[in-house]
Amino acid sequence: MILEGKTVLIMGIRNKWSIAWGAALSAHKNGAKIIFTYAGSENQEKIEDLISEIPNSKAYECDVSSDEKIKNAFQLIKKENGKIDGILHSIAHANTEDLRNCFINTSREGFNHAGEISSYSLIAIARIAKEEELLKEEASIVTLTYYGSTKVLTGYNVMGVAKASLEASVRYLADDLGEEQIRVNAVSAGPIKTLSAKGIKDFNKILDIVEEKAPLKRNVTISEVGDIITFLFSPMSKAITGQIVYADNGYSIMG
Ligand code: NAP
């Protein structure tokens, strides 16, 4: 039970296929109290139904496109739960047309939107958590990234650029927060069929290629990615900060 006595905030739950759900189940199994945030009030009932599987968990609405909304959510979370030990940022969004058209046609608005929701939001979350004194000493912040940040993957397009910026932000945030013993890392997960992944052209082909080429000859599951997030939340990973940890069955090492 490596998270015994800890409370972690999982941001970006949508349904039982979400990587955030895999992370929540793993953290719960390892002893943590779980708090969630979700984006839109229209999903409140479904989210509450889903999280009822985890005793003592609670979900709060938080749209990360607004600093005000993050601040209000964090104030309420602190009031009702006290300080917390970890935050998972499991959030991304890009306009569908920017994942369907050629990258060169990415609009200014589409570029800014993908960057704001998928990358800048991590900076806003870290800063507001610090300002609101939400985090305990030795807290751990984890985000999710993908291989398309460093390699060209047809259809990943503007999201690849957003993930590259997210990974750089992980390093700068790790430096800023290191003196307070707060760690910041990213997990670069292999492809998983989630609602967000459905927006990526030929996603099934990507899954097939990974199965064929990855050293472990299979795709990753939300449960496996969740276990790595649990490790990064835990004191077992105390010496790791500013890193991109690959959870991809080795796919990224292949030439
Ligand atoms: P998912 O279940 O669709 O989760 C994405 C989450 O982002 C949803 O809960 C979505 O909420 C939330 N979100 C979007 N806009 C938001 C906003 N303005 N405010 C707050 N939340 C917002 O898909 P997922 O695959 O698990 O994605 C989680 C993370 O893993 C993402 O960063 C993704 O890029 C990353 N990742 C995924 C894969 C993969 O193959 N699936 C691989 C590597 C990394 P709503 O749906 O309610 O808007």
Side-chain angles (χ1 to χ4, degrees), residues 102-116:
C102 289
F103 176 69
I104 200 168
N105 293 323
T106 306
S107 66
R108 192 177 294 269
E109 187 278 324
F111 184 96
N112 289 339
H113 172 73
E116 181 188 6

Side-chain angles (χ1 to χ4, degrees), residues 28-150:
H28 168 64
K29 194 177 67 193
N30 282 285
K33 175 184 171 185
I34 316 292
I35 306 163
F36 295 93
T37 65
Y38 59 95
S41 54
E42 66 279 9
N43 293 319
Q44 184 180 354
E45 219 170 291
K46 278 188 208 149
I47 301 287
E48 281 174 357
D49 196 37
L50 176 64
I51 72 162
S52 64
E53 285 181 35
I54 299 183
N56 300 320
S57 62
K58 185 166 177 186
Y60 300 81
E61 191 184 333
C62 180
D63 176 348
V64 299
S65 63
S66 150
D67 283 2
E68 199 56 32
K69 287 182 178 164
I70 299 173
K71 188 174 163 183
N72 291 342
F74 282 7
Q75 282 178 347
L76 187 58
I77 286 168
K78 188 176 168 194
K79 191 171 156 214
E80 295 189 354
N81 304 276
K83 290 191 179 197
I84 62 171
D85 301 276
I87 299 180
L88 175 68
H89 170 274
S90 187
I91 292 171
H93 195 261
N95 295 333
T96 309
E97 65 267 26
D98 291 323
L99 303 173
R100 293 290 148 102
N101 297 334
C102 289
F103 176 69
I104 200 168
N105 293 323
T106 306
S107 66
R108 192 177 294 269
E109 187 278 324
F111 184 96
N112 289 339
H113 172 73
E116 181 188 6
I117 304 300
S118 318
S119 175
Y120 180 75
S121 61
L122 178 72
I123 304 173
I125 285 166
R127 185 184 64 252
I128 297 166
K130 184 177 147 95
E131 285 166 359
E132 296 302 322
E133 298 182 8
L134 177 65
L135 297 172
K136 280 191 202 158
E137 212 174 290
E138 301 195 354
S140 168
I141 299 175
V142 182
T143 186
L144 279 151
T145 186
Y146 182 55
Y147 186 56
S149 61
T150 53

